[in-house]
Amino acid sequence: MSNSKYTKALYRPIMYKEWLKLRLIIITSTLTMVALSLFCVYKLHRIIELKGAQHIWTNIMTRDAIFVNILYCIPLVIGITLTIFQFLPETTFSRIKLMLHLPCKTTTSIGTMIIFGQGVMFLEFLLSLGIIYFGFLDVLAIELVHHIVLTIIPWYLIGMIAYAFGAFIFLEPSWKRRVYYLIISTLTIRVFFLSTKPEAYNNFIIPMVICLILWSMLPILSISRIQNGNAS
């Protein structure tokens, strides 16, 4: 078997290993996102049933109500939890060093882990977004639904960004740098929680997606430092 084919053959075992390690977290977080999203839809329908659609319209237009506030910090919590359970065992028990000896590029093995984690969150958040979009579209004008969706998309993105930062920090071999990166990541994430006004971060959605892609590559720098023996 050629080296390239052997490398490709390693993707599936790495993915399967991550699934075995994280399956309880994945199932729990998925059920949580689905349950809370369905609750938001139920709550909206219940309010309309009791007080009428005019009450919903008035609250959205005059009080900036979006009826999904319960989801506000959930993606962030999921991102942090997933990165802890995925990378803390790898660094605590020095398992990550074993991956340096796999017959494939280290960037490939670590990249596969990152793709797995980000892929899980993407699917969870996409499912949640779909439930809210179609559940709200049943009773609200499409313009109002878009207004709500554009408000919550940055919440989902910041959860994925927090995951990328967490992987970067856990894989960093130097404790001093970990503290430094933790401060920077905390301040960066805090910026996106300064305003609760609907659609406050509309202009940041595309930059956030770009930053998410770039920051997801940061763990490769940490791995490079491990390979070079930099621990200070």
Side-chain angles (χ1 to χ4, degrees):
M1 183 182 294
S2 66
N3 187 56
S4 61
K5 290 183 178 180
Y6 192 79
T7 299
K8 292 180 180 179
L10 286 174
Y11 292 156
R12 187 173 297 176
I14 293 175
M15 291 282 193
Y16 184 64
K17 175 181 74 71
E18 295 306 299
W19 162 251
L20 291 178
K21 181 172 60 178
L22 300 171
R23 62 187 184 278
L24 292 180
I25 301 299
I26 294 172
I27 293 172
T28 301
S29 59
T30 300
L31 291 177
T32 299
M33 288 299 299
V34 170
L36 292 178
S37 300
L38 289 173
F39 174 76
C40 291
V41 173
Y42 168 79
K43 183 176 68 173
L44 179 68
H45 283 250
R46 185 62 176 169
I47 293 174
I48 291 177
E49 181 182 338
L50 295 176
K51 300 183 178 181
Q54 182 62 37
H55 176 77
I56 298 295
W57 174 270
T58 301
N59 276 272
I60 292 177
M61 300 305 295
T62 63
R63 300 183 182 179
D64 289 332
I66 56 175
F67 304 99
V68 291
N69 302 82
I70 195 172
L71 294 171
Y72 186 52
C73 290
I74 301 301
L76 176 63
V77 173
I78 290 176
I80 293 174
T81 302
L82 189 62
T83 196
I84 289 175
F85 279 87
Q86 186 175 16
F87 291 101
L88 183 59
E90 304 292 334
T91 54
T92 301
F93 301 107
S94 299
R95 296 174 187 168
I96 203 68
K97 294 182 179 179
L98 296 177
M99 300 191 72
L100 302 180
H101 302 287
L102 291 176
C104 66
K105 292 182 179 180
T106 306
T107 53
T108 299
S109 56
I110 298 300
T112 302
M113 295 174 66
I114 299 294
I115 290 172
F116 180 87
Q118 294 285 26
V120 165
M121 285 189 295
F122 176 78
L123 293 177
E124 288 181 352
F125 298 158
L126 186 63
L127 178 60
S128 169
L129 199 63
I131 292 172
I132 292 172
Y133 183 85
F134 291 106
F136 281 25
L137 192 61
D138 187 44
V139 292
L140 295 180
I142 192 169
E143 292 82 6
L144 295 180
V145 177
H146 288 169
H147 169 70
I148 294 171
V149 167
L150 287 173
T151 300
I152 62 179
I153 284 178
W155 302 353
Y156 296 151
L157 289 175
I158 203 62
M160 299 177 74
I161 289 173
Y163 169 87
F165 273 135
F168 181 40
I169 293 169
F170 277 119
L171 293 174
E172 170 57 44
S174 168
W175 276 100
K176 290 182 181 180
R177 287 177 178 265
R178 283 183 181 179
V179 174
Y180 177 66
Y181 296 151
L182 179 61
I183 293 173
I184 292 178
S185 60
T186 301
L187 293 177
T188 301
I189 292 172
R190 181 70 182 93
V191 169
F192 296 101
F193 286 95
L194 293 177
S195 176
T196 57
K197 186 177 178 62
E199 294 193 66
Y201 294 100
N202 270 12
N203 294 331
F204 290 90
I205 291 179
I206 294 179
M208 286 177 74
V209 172
I210 295 173
C211 289
L212 171 61
I213 295 172
L214 295 176
W215 287 336
S216 292
M217 299 178 183
L218 288 177
I220 303 301
L221 297 178
S222 297
I223 291 299
S224 297
R225 288 175 51 76
I226 292 176
Q227 289 178 311
N228 295 331
N230 296 323
S232 60

